[in-house]
């Protein structure tokens, strides 16, 4: 409470100093010295104050000033800052010079206050609208990929509108959210994947690829994105800033010149194809022991080249005639074959390409925006429509967004503005992953001799698949019969009231809301493998985040050389979500999907509420615009902590020194700019709600095989209804305190050779302590976990951005930018007796946080190895394992999931209006579990298993008895089906053999983007057209990786912390886009 | 002036906002609206019974796996094929271990604590919860040997509970059953809350008392190799106080119409479907034209080619261990229909307990009678009692020489207790039925226990180390002493 009192006193003081002074208007035009055209969006600030304005679309501005205002400062991205003494002038026109290397770049930092890049003692990297547009992405996260150092972005699935994970400088939390806070126009928004209750949970190995809510923000409406990386940068955002902050500034209104309204139109069409696919066995058919078997689960059957289809009377009378449309497979030369040949009912076998299932995806993206205004008021309005037809049939997505933002001045000291975007998403998603109804699971396991496309349904409604209706769903069945339809309504909006009571004080109140409603209806048709009796699930979720900030910001010149700025803020934040669901199991009427269509309906509702209140300050000094020092502090109160621990304070400090401002170095051509900076800060985070007590819950009893089915209360049996509750497996803790991350960073920004070459370098060292996590405990305690403060984790890394203008000529320009990221995120300790924590996965493998290892780590089984790490081969001739390696069934770490390096390298050539831009992505040092390959080896369905008839097969390793290199040939031990036995019941099986066999390197070189654009602006210089541009963008056109599955930019468990698993994930895509931008 | 008014107004609004927020951080906000922190006993009992039945006694993690080892069933694909070849690891039993301790035993403890509290004193609830704890410990110790109990279920007070010896666990089982019986015998008036929420016996405490005696008989018999004749006489005494017909069968009931309360094997066959009935069992049933064939097995779904013979669809055919024959007979309605109950203990088993005890004590006449009664109970339980067949079969039982009687009883018990873990215990105790290992298994020996759960190995250093071949370490009562 004391801090609130101070704030009040501050506000009252501010009021008392209010003075009604004489004002006048000053106006003018800001042009580019290069072409004389007006520059829109130039920031004009009265030096030493927070008073200012922005130029309109044609570069015009007007500003009301008071006699005490002496100097105007003109700032614009890419231009050199200009300072003009006002004197008696009423018109001030300025020609700004291009500053290729953007020394005086203005970035939007905490709370939406723009500050000169050079004043910052921490790292902020900006991505402008032009860069976002080049990506061709309709959402913001993947558009950032490769463009910012220190950032790792992972797609989860090639499905339409699938979640994207973003992390900045690794992780700070073990099980909590590690993704940065998204802030839109100063208001934090919710970036969660909507919670589930039907067992197909986020982070579950099965289900559909879901979206995270930040994907809803249309990329076309974004003016710029600032990535705040360090803890010091984000301290003012409070607890959710611990993982960095993505500050999104959307487009705002601008005054038009000559016309009241300017119109922008952009349109694109994109075609998508699946990219890398796993290699499949096309030489052997369905069956076992080299024999064909109709309906059999695996592809250990006969060689296709030695077999043929027969449609004789045997086949005509077979109950499987409908399943095997090609006939019965028999050996060529057999009696049946010969007689079939003579009767004309024999044919050759050629393998089917199962990937024919996928189609060419098409995405249409259209955006129309209008902007305009007067001196007093302006607006920006846009409508956009994205229609995405995925590569999987019936996987589609549509997003319509309507945005309005407006601003008006009320008198001289008040300004009111508002922003709102309303988004409507509709999607149909398809089952994927470890799921008997998953598309890739059924598709890849199908033997190449079976034609899935020859029909997926029989007239009686039962399913046609390669296992006589059992096993897994035919992918066509999954895509056509099962569905997951979601409908999202999403509003992000804020109001902002700005008040300038004196020339040095600015008070701002900004309430904001992020509200979304998601309605899901999903169904599994009768005769589907996941739920043969059918299932309907419906759920409505409402998420509402409310945030308000009240900020007082002052700026004072203290004598000639010193400047002081101070900010005092008050924040309230409330996050609420609630869902209501119903699930009907066992459908009375097939193909009718409503909750009424079952005698068995489960319903439920879950809600969550948490609140936070914070008071914060930021005080900065600078000396001669050369030395900057900044101190911040924040005290928060959170409802999710026990009452006695719910208040906590965390400070930060940062300093920067612009060495090139030293008298001796000033105006040097060779080294025009050199800054060094350092910062230290603490960020805090709080537990999720309801972890301070131990609760009971309604019981849902299942096992790992049939989940979510089992005994789900309420139930009715023998005519009696029962409800059932059970004590939670997690014991609460009434001693919880916030987790804290200490961050330290040093860095430098250098520009050489007349600003044509630049290097930004930073090093950071973060340590997170008292991390909150549910620590697994021995179940014999009666609980399986306890939620406590325990773990410690560190993250160290280096980031570098190198940029160069290699050629600069009037009509020809070549720029290169390289972003380099390298970090190591290590779990230092977890809890007493606990050296690892489960994050997600199967019994084996799992993704875990492991003490002493990089976070997160793949955990699984290895082969028995000697002291030198060689695999030991059993060389006892009497042993059944003679010639084979042996598994070591203790779970061990098998590799890090996060890359050791990420490089995003782009080059841009411009000549005569044509621009060619390429962005390359290099990553490596990390591993992924190719569980798909493991399973396909078991099924004999991978190309790997075509070695089965090789005359010689010697496992790599050393002999157990003497350590000499293994030379035992297992293929000539007299068992013709040795490979099948090894891959199915032996340790070569992906299901039970050592996991390490399927841990693969994920290094990649990827041509992330290629954009060729042409601008007609030179030709249309004197017409009514302001901008006309056409472009082609290709994404993921080239990929080189040792990973043998699908595009390894994937994650079975979606955008959660447990990355690094691929198990029948949807393949990635490569896309080709044609687009047009038009403005008049 | 206008500005001053605006300013004051603005300040007032801000002040109001701040003052009103003083209650913004209210500790009540953090009390879950979704989950209660107190629940009455009659809402804990249903989930305790369901969890005991679904995740322990009839579970796909336990019963399905040992049914493959004991050759009631066989695995034909994926994980089941591998488990049937004796590969079963610590991580595979996590579900069951956790369901037992952090689920059923802990919920039983909550019932007991409430039933003992003065304000809610209810000895019947306490008795039933103790009987169920005894049953859970019985199933647990028979598959894991030493398990935590004396230091278990204490939450944060003891994060590393000691493992009690199987011998002391058996003593605890008998003592909990004794407690349960005396608590259940207390008059209704002594209960503040009458027994309610009981899916197994519909709140009938007398049935619980008889079931507790049946359990006492079973767990007395298990120690025959340790306690000798004392075990048999105890078993006979206890069995005499237990229920006298199939009406007393201790069943957890599922519903036919719902996947929300369905038999675990039914759900497994629906979702995974990777097991079939084993030739060892099916051949034996076919050999005797046993009417239970169609109870335990479904007709084959397609033609099966065996050598030069074709076995047409619609026949009964058991897959030999290790042979992945998709078309072989799947589990039948008696064990795998949606509403096939989980059988905790049956009258047939009780008669088999008496038959084995009498045979072991040399009372061959009564043993034959018990044997017949057991067979009849099993036929009646499944609704396939056939007078003619039974009479003929009874005649054959009379012809069995005394020396062969034990083998016959135990083999018949193995058939009657199809898809029951008790058969695995019997095979380990008595060596019957005589089984050959799955020829596809790398280790040519049938396992004799489960490994400890990975969660226990990882988080409790007191977990005994079973060495390199945990499945072949014997439990304490499995000491190799041959049955008489």
């Amino acid at each position: 409470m004391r801090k609130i009192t101070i704030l009040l006193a501050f506000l009252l003081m501010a009021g008392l100093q209010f003075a009604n002074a004489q004002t006048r208007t000053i106006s003018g035009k800001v042009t580019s010295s290069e072409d004389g055209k007006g520059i829109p969006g130039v920031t004009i600030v009265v030096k030493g104050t927070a008073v200012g304005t922005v130029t309109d679309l044609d570069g015009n501005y007007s500003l009301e000033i008071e006699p005490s205002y002496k100097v105007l400062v003109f700032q614009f991205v890419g231009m050199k800052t200009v300072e003009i003494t006002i004197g008696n002038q009423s018109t001030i026109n300025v020609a700004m010079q291009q500053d290729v290397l953007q020394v005086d770049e203005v970035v939007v930092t905490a709370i939406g206050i723009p500050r000169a890049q050079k004043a910052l003692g921490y790292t902020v990297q900006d991505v402008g609208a032009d860069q976002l547009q080049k990506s061709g992405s309709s959402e913001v996260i993947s558009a950032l990929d490769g463009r910012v150092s220190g950032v790792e972005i992972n797609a989860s699935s090639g499905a339409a509108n699938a979640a994207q994970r973003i992390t900045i400088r690794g992780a700070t939390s073990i099980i909590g959210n590690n993704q940065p806070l998204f802030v839109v126009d100063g208001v934090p928004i919710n970036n969660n994947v909507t919670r589930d209750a039907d067992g197909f949970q986020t982070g579950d190995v099965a289900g559909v690829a879901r979206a995270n809510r930040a994907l809803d923000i249309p990329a076309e409406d974004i003016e710029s994105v600032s990535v705040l990386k360090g803890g010091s940068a984000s301290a003012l955002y409070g607890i959710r800033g611990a993982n960095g902050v993505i500050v999104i500034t959307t487009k705002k209104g601008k005054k038009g010149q000559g016309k009241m309204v300017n119109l922008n139109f952009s349109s694109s069409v994109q075609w998508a194809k699946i990219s890398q696919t796993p290699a499949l066995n096309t030489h052997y058919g369905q069956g076992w022991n080299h024999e064909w078997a109709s309906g059999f689960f695996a592809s250990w059957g006969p060689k296709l080249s030695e077999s043929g289809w027969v449609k004789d009377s045997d086949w005509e009378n077979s109950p499987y005639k409908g399943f095997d449309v090609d006939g019965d497979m028999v050996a060529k030369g057999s009696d049946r074959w010969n007689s079939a040949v003579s009767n004309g009912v024999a044919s050759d076998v050629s393998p089917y390409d199962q990937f024919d299932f996928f189609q060419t995806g098409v995405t249409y993206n259209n955006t129309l925006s209008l902007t305009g205004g007067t001196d007093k008021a302006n607006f920006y309005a846009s409508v956009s429509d994205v229609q995405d037809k995925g590569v999987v049939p019936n996987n589609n997505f549509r997003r319509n967004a309507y945005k309005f933002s407006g601003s008006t001045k009320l008198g001289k000291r008040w300004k009111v503005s508002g922003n709102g975007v309303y988004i409507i998403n509709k999607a149909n998603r398809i089952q994927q992953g470890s799921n008997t109804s998953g598309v890739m699971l059924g598709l890849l396991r199908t033997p190449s001799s079976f034609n899935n496309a020859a029909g997926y349904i029989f007239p009686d409604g039962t399913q046609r698949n390669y296992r006589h209706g059992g096993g897994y769903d035919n992918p066509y069945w999954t895509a056509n019969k099962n569905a997951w339809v979601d409908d999202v309504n999403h509003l992000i909006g804020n109001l902002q009231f700005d008040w300038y009571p004196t020339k040095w004080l600015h008070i701002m109140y900004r309430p904001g809301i992020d509200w979304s409603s998601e309605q899901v209806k999903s169904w599994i048709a009768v005769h589907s493998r996941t739920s043969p009796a059918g299932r309907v699930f419906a759920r409505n979720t409402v998420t509402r985040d409310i945030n308000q900030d009240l900020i007082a910001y002052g700026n004072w010149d203290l004598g000639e050389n010193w400047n002081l700025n101070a900010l005092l803020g008050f924040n309230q934040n409330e996050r609420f979500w609630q869902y209501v669901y119903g699930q009907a199991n066992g459908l009375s009427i097939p193909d009718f999907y409503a909750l009424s269509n079952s005698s068995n309906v489960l319903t439920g509702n879950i809600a969550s509420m948490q609140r936070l209140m914070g008071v914060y300050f930021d005080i900065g000094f600078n000396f001669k615009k050369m030395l900057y020092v900044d101190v911040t502090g924040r005290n928060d109160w959170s409802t999710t902590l026990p009452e006695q621990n719910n208040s906590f304070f965390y400070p930060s400090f940062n300093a920067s020194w612009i060495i090139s401002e030293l008298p001796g170095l000033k105006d040097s051509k060779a080294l025009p700019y050199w800054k060094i900076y350092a910062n230290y800060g603490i960020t805090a985070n709080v537990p999720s709600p309801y972890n301070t007590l131990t609760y009971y819950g309604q019981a849902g009893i299942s096992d790992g095989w049939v989940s979510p089915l089992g005994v789900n209360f309420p139930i009715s049996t023998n005519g009696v209804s029962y409800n059932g509750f059970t004590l939670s497996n997690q014991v609460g803790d009434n001693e919880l305190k916030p987790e804290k991350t200490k961050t330290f960073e040093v860095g430098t920004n250098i520009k050489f050779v007349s600003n044509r070459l630049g290097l930004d370098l930073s090093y950071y060292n973060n340590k997170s302590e008292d991390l909150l996590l549910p620590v697994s405990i021995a179940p014999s305690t009666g609980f399986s976990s306890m939620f406590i403060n325990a773990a410690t984790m560190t993250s160290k890394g280096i980031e570098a951005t190198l940029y160069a203008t290699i050629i600069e000529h009037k009509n020809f320009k070549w720029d290169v930018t390289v972003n380099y990221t390298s970090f190591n995120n290590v779990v230092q300790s977890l809890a007493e007796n606990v050296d690892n924590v489960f994050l997600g996965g199967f019994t084996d493998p799992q993704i875990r946080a492991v003490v002493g290892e990089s976070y997160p780590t793949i955990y699984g089984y290895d082969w028995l190895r000697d002291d030198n790490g060689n695999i030991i081969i059993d060389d006892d001739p009497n042993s059944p394992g003679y010639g084979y390696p042996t598994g070591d069934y203790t779970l061990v770490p098998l590799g890090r999931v996060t890359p050791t390096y990420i490089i995003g390298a782009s080059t841009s050539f411009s000549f005569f209006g044509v621009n060619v831009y390429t962005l390359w992505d290099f990553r490596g040092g990390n591993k992924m579990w190719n569980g798909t390959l493991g399973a396909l080896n078991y099924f004999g369905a991978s190309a790997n298993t075509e070695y089965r008839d090789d005359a010689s097969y010697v496992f790599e390793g050393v002999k157990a008895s003497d350590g000499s290199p293994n030379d035992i040939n297992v293929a000539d031990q007299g068992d013709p089906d040795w490979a099948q036995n090894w891959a199915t019941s032996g340790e070569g099986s992906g299901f039970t053999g050592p996991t390490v066999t399927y841990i693969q390197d994920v290094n990649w070189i990827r041509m992330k983007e290629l954009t060729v654009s042409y601008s007609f602006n030179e030709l249309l210089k004197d017409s009514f057209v302001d901008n006309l541009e056409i472009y082609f963008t290709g994404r993921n056109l080239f990929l080189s990786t040792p990973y043998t599955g699908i595009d390894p930019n994937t994650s079975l468990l979606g955008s959660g912390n447990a990355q690094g698993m691929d198990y029948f994930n949807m393949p990635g895509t490569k896309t080709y886009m044609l687009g047009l931008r038009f403005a008049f | 002036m206008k500005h001053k008014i605006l300013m004051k107004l603005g300040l007032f609004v801000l002040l109001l906002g701040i003052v009103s927020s003083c209650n913004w951080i209210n500790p009540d906000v953090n009390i879950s609206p979704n989950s209660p922190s107190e629940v009455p006993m009659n809402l804990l009992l249903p989930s305790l019974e369901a969890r005991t039945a679904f995740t322990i006694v009839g579970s796909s993690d336990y019963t399905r796996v040992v049914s493959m080892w004991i050759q009631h069933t066989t695995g034909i694909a994926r994980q089941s094929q591998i488990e049937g070849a004796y590969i079963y690891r610590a991580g595979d039993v996590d579900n069951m271990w956790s369901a037992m301790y952090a689920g059923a035993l802990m919920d039983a403890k909550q019932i007991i604590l409430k039933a003992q509290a003065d304000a809610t004193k209810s000895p019947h609830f306490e008795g039933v919860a103790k009987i169920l704890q005894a049953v859970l410990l019985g199933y647990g110790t028979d598959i894991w040997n030493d398990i935590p109990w004396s230091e278990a279920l204490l939450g944060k007070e003891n994060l590393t509970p000691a493992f009690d010896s199987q011998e002391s666990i058996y003593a605890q089982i008998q003592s909990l059953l004794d407690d349960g019986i005396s608590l259940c015998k207390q008059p209704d008036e002594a209960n503040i809350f009458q027994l309610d929420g009981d899916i197994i016996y519909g709140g009938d405490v007398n049935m619980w008392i008889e079931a507790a005696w049946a359990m006492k008989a079973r767990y007395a018999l298990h120690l025959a190799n340790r306690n000798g004749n004392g075990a048999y006489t105890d078993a006979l005494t206890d069995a005499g106080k237990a229920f006298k017909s199939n009406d007393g069968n201790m069943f957890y009931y599922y519903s036919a119409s719902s996947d929300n309360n369905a038999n675990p094997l039914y759900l497994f066959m629906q979702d995974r479907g990777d097991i079939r009935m084993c030739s060892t069992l099916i051949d034996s049933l076919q050999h005797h034209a046993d009417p239970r064939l169609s109870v335990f097995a479904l007709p084959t779904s397609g033609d099966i080619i065996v050598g030069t013979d074709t076995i047409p669809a619609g026949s009964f055919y058991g897959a030999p261990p290790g042979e992945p024959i998709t078309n072989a007979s799947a589990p039948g309605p008696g064990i795998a229909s949606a509403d096939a109950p989980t059988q905790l203990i049956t009258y047939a088993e009780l008669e088999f307990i008496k038959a084995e005890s009498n045979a072991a004590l040399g009372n061959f006449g009564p043993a034959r009678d018990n044997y017949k009664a057991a067979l009849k109970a099993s036929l009646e339980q499944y609704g396939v009692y056939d007078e003619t067949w039974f009479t003929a079969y009874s005649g054959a039982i009379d012809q069995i020489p005394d020396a062969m009687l034990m083998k016959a009883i135990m083999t018949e018990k193995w058939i009657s207790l199809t898809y029951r873990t008790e058969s695995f215990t019997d095979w380990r105790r008595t060596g019957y039925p005589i089984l050959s290992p799955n020829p596809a298994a790398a280790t040519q020996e049938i396992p004799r226990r489960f490994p400890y759960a990975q969660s226990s190995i990882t988080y409790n250093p007191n977990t005994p180390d079973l060495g390199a071949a945990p499945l072949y370490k014997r439990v304490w009562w499995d000491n190799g002493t041959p049955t008489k």
Side-chain angles (χ1 to χ4, degrees), chain A residues 66-398:
Chain A
E66 293 175 11
S68 58
Y69 297 173
K70 298 282 189 266
V71 177
L72 286 185
V73 182
F74 294 78
Q75 292 175 319
F76 188 65
V77 175
M79 297 286 177
K80 285 184 177 158
T81 299
V82 177
E83 291 191 11
I84 305 263
T85 307
I86 301 167
N88 295 322
Q89 302 176 78
S90 60
T91 307
I92 299 179
N93 294 327
V94 173
M96 293 184 88
Q97 285 183 319
Q98 214 161 32
D99 180 350
V100 174
L101 294 171
Q102 308 176 0
V103 172
D104 292 323
E105 191 170 340
V106 176
V107 294
V108 178
T109 65
I111 332 290
I113 291 169
R115 298 179 79 173
Q117 174 92 278
K118 67 179 184 183
L120 302 178
Y122 49 84
T123 314
V124 175
Q125 205 166 346
D126 259 25
V127 180
D130 56 331
Q131 287 288 308
L132 297 173
Q133 283 170 3
K134 273 189 177 129
S135 75
S137 172
S138 63
E139 48 82 14
V140 63
I141 299 180
S142 63
L144 293 176
D145 201 355
R147 293 190 162 82
V148 187
S149 65
V151 168
E152 184 187 356
I153 290 168
N154 285 317
S156 59
S157 166
N161 193 229
Q164 300 269 349
R165 175 180 173 85
I166 177 168
T167 50
I168 300 176
R169 293 186 172 175
T172 59
S173 183
I174 300 285
I175 54 105
N177 174 36
N178 279 313
Q179 299 199 58
L181 176 66
F182 279 76
V183 173
V184 176
D185 295 325
V187 179
I189 62 152
N190 153 39
N191 180 32
N192 291 325
V193 176
T194 310
R195 287 109 180 139
D196 270 358
D198 63 345
F200 286 145
Q201 296 190 355
T202 310
D204 204 340
V205 292
V208 299
R210 313 287 308 282
N212 41 333
R213 287 278 75 87
L215 301 186
D216 293 350
I217 306 162
E220 288 280 346
D221 282 338
I222 295 174
E223 182 69 41
S224 73
V225 176
S226 296
V227 179
L228 277 60
K229 299 175 190 173
S232 187
S234 54
L236 288 183
Y237 284 108
I239 55 162
R240 289 197 289 167
N243 305 311
V245 185
I246 305 285
V247 178
I248 294 172
T249 307
T250 63
K251 289 180 179 161
K252 303 294 181 329
K254 288 162 188 167
K255 184 189 159 192
Q257 189 191 32
K259 41 199 167 189
M260 283 298 281
V261 171
N262 288 78
L263 182 145
N264 270 277
F265 176 66
S266 71
S267 179
S268 68
V269 56
Q270 171 178 284
W271 294 272
K273 296 286 243 183
I274 54 166
S275 57
Q276 184 168 315
T277 52
L280 299 180
N281 155 31
T282 52
H283 291 179
Y284 295 88
Q286 188 170 13
W288 190 248
N289 291 345
H290 286 85
E291 298 279 334
W292 183 70
S294 174
F296 198 75
F297 70 88
S299 299
W300 292 101
K303 209 168 195 165
L304 299 185
S305 59
E306 294 165 5
S307 316
W309 296 120
V310 164
K311 291 187 175 179
D312 57 9
S313 57
D314 276 14
W315 176 75
E316 287 292 341
N317 297 326
S318 160
Y320 307 127
K321 188 179 151 187
F323 288 95
D324 301 314
V325 293
D326 292 310
D328 284 347
M329 198 190 290
V330 301
K332 283 187 175 169
S334 64
D335 292 349
R336 201 173 156 198
W337 169 258
N338 290 337
S339 102
V341 169
S342 57
N343 293 327
V345 291
S347 58
D348 283 345
V349 178
S350 49
Y352 291 102
D353 180 358
Q354 305 298 353
F355 295 109
D356 283 349
F357 168 77
F358 292 99
Q359 62 188 19
T360 301
V362 185
T363 305
Y364 301 97
N365 188 347
N366 291 295
T367 305
L368 178 69
S369 65
L370 296 169
T371 177
T374 65
D375 290 339
K376 294 275 181 198
N378 60 53
F379 78 98
Y380 171 90
S382 77
V383 289
S384 63
D385 179 28
V386 175
Q387 290 187 54
D388 189 351
K389 185 180 90 166
V391 291
V392 175
N394 292 324
N395 175 205
N396 51 54
F397 166 67
R398 183 164 190 175

Side-chain angles (χ1 to χ4, degrees), chain A residues 435-730:
Chain A
N435 170 353
T436 47
S437 288
V439 157
M440 286 290 272
L441 197 134
L443 181 142
L444 293 176
R445 291 178 179 191
T446 305
S448 62
S449 55
F450 187 86
N451 185 3
N452 274 327
Y456 60 84
I457 187 165
F458 289 116
D460 65 353
T462 58
Q463 185 179 173
R464 175 181 177 271
N465 67 8
Y466 85 94
R467 294 192 65 184
H468 295 169
Y472 333 99
D473 285 338
N474 184 321
Y476 292 92
W477 174 281
T478 290
N480 288 294
K481 294 288 285 183
N482 297 336
W484 172 291
V485 180
D486 57 34
D487 188 329
V488 174
N489 283 261
H490 192 172
L491 171 71
I492 302 173
N494 70 66
L495 292 173
Q496 182 169 326
F497 303 91
D498 291 282
W499 178 32
Y500 302 88
T502 72
K503 68 166 187 173
W504 51 266
L505 184 66
H506 172 187
I507 290 173
M508 186 262 280
Y509 170 62
R510 180 170 53 209
I513 187 164
D514 174 12
W515 173 91
S516 64
S517 139
E518 185 196 58
Q519 298 175 54
V520 172
K521 187 163 157 187
S522 78
W523 60 82
I524 300 286
V526 175
H527 301 303
S528 296
R529 296 310 308 154
T530 280
S531 181
R535 187 194 308 162
V536 180
F537 177 77
R539 186 201 52 222
N540 288 359
T541 308
V542 169
T543 304
R544 186 190 67 216
D545 289 17
I546 294 172
N547 188 80
Q548 47 184 344
D549 278 291
L550 172 63
I551 296 168
Y553 177 71
N555 193 325
W556 300 268
D557 280 330
L558 310 169
E560 200 162 307
N561 292 329
W562 289 88
N563 175 271
L564 164 69
N565 59 73
L567 176 154
L568 185 59
F570 173 75
N571 170 254
Q572 276 187 334
N573 182 275
E574 177 184 284
R575 282 185 276 162
F576 171 78
W577 56 263
Q578 170 164 268
Y579 66 65
V580 180
Y581 73 91
Q583 178 177 335
N585 290 325
L587 301 182
S588 312
I589 308 162
D591 299 326
F592 172 59
Y593 302 111
L595 292 176
S596 61
N597 188 23
S598 171
S599 54
N600 218 301
V601 180
L602 288 176
T603 58
N605 67 315
I606 307 245
S608 167
M609 163 78 99
Q610 70 186 98
R611 284 183 187 158
L612 185 101
M613 181 169 79
V615 175
Y616 51 93
F617 69 86
D618 180 350
I619 296 170
F621 288 94
N622 76 64
F623 175 66
K624 286 190 164 178
K625 294 212 164 170
M626 178 163 76
L627 196 61
Y628 293 83
V629 177
D630 217 24
V631 180
T632 74
R634 179 169 177 129
N635 199 86
D636 276 336
W637 292 263
S638 165
T639 57
T640 65
L641 287 160
E643 200 170 4
Q644 75 278 10
N645 289 347
N646 75 359
S647 164
F648 48 100
F649 177 76
Y650 44 106
S652 82
F653 313 90
N654 69 70
S656 65
W657 180 25
I658 299 151
I659 299 173
S660 53
E661 290 286 314
L662 283 174
L665 290 171
K666 221 168 181 177
D667 303 322
S668 154
K669 287 269 181 203
L671 187 66
Y673 183 74
W674 182 18
K675 175 174 112 174
I676 58 172
Y677 60 91
N679 65 69
Y680 174 81
I682 298 176
T683 58
N685 210 341
V686 296
S688 46
Y690 318 136
N691 279 308
T692 54
L693 291 174
T694 308
Y695 293 97
Y696 288 86
Q698 196 176 33
I701 293 161
S702 188
D703 58 29
W705 302 105
V706 299
S707 177
L709 300 179
V711 183
N712 291 303
F713 286 93
I715 59 169
S716 172
T717 188
N718 289 345
V720 185
S721 297
Y722 297 91
N723 201 354
F725 281 78
T726 180
L727 187 66
S728 165
N729 283 345
Q730 184 163 306

Side-chain angles (χ1 to χ4, degrees), chain A residues 572 585 600 607 725-726 938, chain B residues 21 34 47 78 107 258 260 270:
Chain A
Q572 276 187 334
N585 290 325
N600 218 301
F725 281 78
T726 180
Y938 171 87
Chain B
S21 69
N34 312 309
S47 78
R78 294 185 285 184
D107 283 341
S258 169
N260 286 330
Q270 292 281 303

Side-chain angles (χ1 to χ4, degrees), chain A residues 18 20 410-412 414, chain B residues 1-9:
Chain A
F18 178 76
N20 191 2
L410 299 169
K412 282 166 291 191
W414 286 85
Chain B
M1 275 316 286
K2 205 173 90 188
H3 291 299
K4 280 196 173 155
I5 293 163
L6 263 177
M7 182 194 80
K8 281 175 183 163
L9 191 72

